[in-house]
Amino acid sequence: MDEQHPVRKVKLFMSIIYIDELTFKNAILNLIERYGPLDFVSKEMPFIYTDYYEKEMGPGLRRRFLTFRNLVYPDEIINCKLFTMEVEKRYLKEDGGRRVNMDPGILSLERLILASRKNFTHRVYLGKGVYADLTLIFKKGSFRSLEWTYPDYRSEEVIKILNRIRELYKLQLQQEGI
C-alpha cells in the first residue's frame, strides 16, 4: 500500500510583462494584497523574445520576475492563474487590450512550472481551465530547458534569475526547517 507523503510548499513567482511603470506598480499592489509581501523583484528588462504581445499591448514591452515571501502549496497555481487574469482585466486599455500580462508559476527544488489556459501536448490539466506547463527542470546545478521551453525561459539571463530564486527558496526551506 502506498503511503501518502507530505506535499512540500513551493515558491510562487510571477513573470510580469507590462507597458508602463504605473500599471506594473498597481498590479503588484493587487498581488501583495492577495499573496503577501515580496521577497524578490528582478531588474527591469526589455521583452524581446517574441512579438506575440505587441499587437495587443503595444511596442516597448518590459518584464520583471518577482516572488513572494509566503510559500504556497502547488495546487494554489490554479487559483493564482484565475486571480491574475482578473487583475489583468482591471488594467485594460481603452481598446480592450491588456496593459499587463501576468504569468504565475511555481518553483520547487526540482522544477519550474508555469500556469497556462492553453492545452498542449506537454501540459497537464489541473482544473478550472488551468494547465501545468513543465517549463524547466533542475539538473546538474542549474535549471535546464526542455524541447518545448519558451525561448525567453531558455535564455542565460532568465536562467540566472530563476537559479537565484531557487537559492532563495532553498535557504527559506532550511530556515523554516522544511
Side-chain angles (χ1 to χ4, degrees), residues 127-141:
K128 298 183 182 178
V130 178
Y131 294 83
D133 180 332
L134 176 61
T135 301
L136 300 168
I137 59 171
F138 193 82
K139 189 174 177 181
K140 297 181 182 177

Side-chain angles (χ1 to χ4, degrees), residues 34-72:
R34 174 89 175 224
Y35 294 106
L38 302 175
D39 62 0
F40 176 84
V41 180
S42 73
K43 67 180 176 81
E44 182 179 270
M45 58 191 91
F47 185 73
I48 56 173
Y49 296 95
T50 178
D51 59 2
Y52 180 82
Y53 298 104
E54 279 191 25
K55 183 176 181 186
E56 177 186 10
M57 298 177 72
L61 296 174
R62 297 172 274 174
R63 172 198 244 167
R64 288 188 190 166
F65 291 92
L66 55 91
T67 64
F68 300 88
R69 183 181 314 151
N70 300 328
L71 301 178
V72 300

Side-chain angles (χ1 to χ4, degrees), residues 87-131:
V87 173
E88 289 174 354
K89 289 178 186 173
R90 294 176 191 172
Y91 302 102
L92 293 178
K93 299 186 303 184
E94 298 74 32
D95 67 4
R98 291 179 291 177
R99 292 181 185 277
V100 63
N101 175 54
M102 307 169 96
D103 287 325
I106 51 175
L107 182 144
S108 68
L109 296 175
E110 307 85 8
R111 71 190 67 85
L112 180 135
I113 294 174
L114 293 174
S116 177
R117 296 281 286 180
K118 299 173 205 89
N119 187 15
F120 206 64
T121 54
H122 64 280
R123 294 180 181 157
V124 177
Y125 186 70
L126 300 175
K128 298 183 182 178
V130 178
Y131 294 83

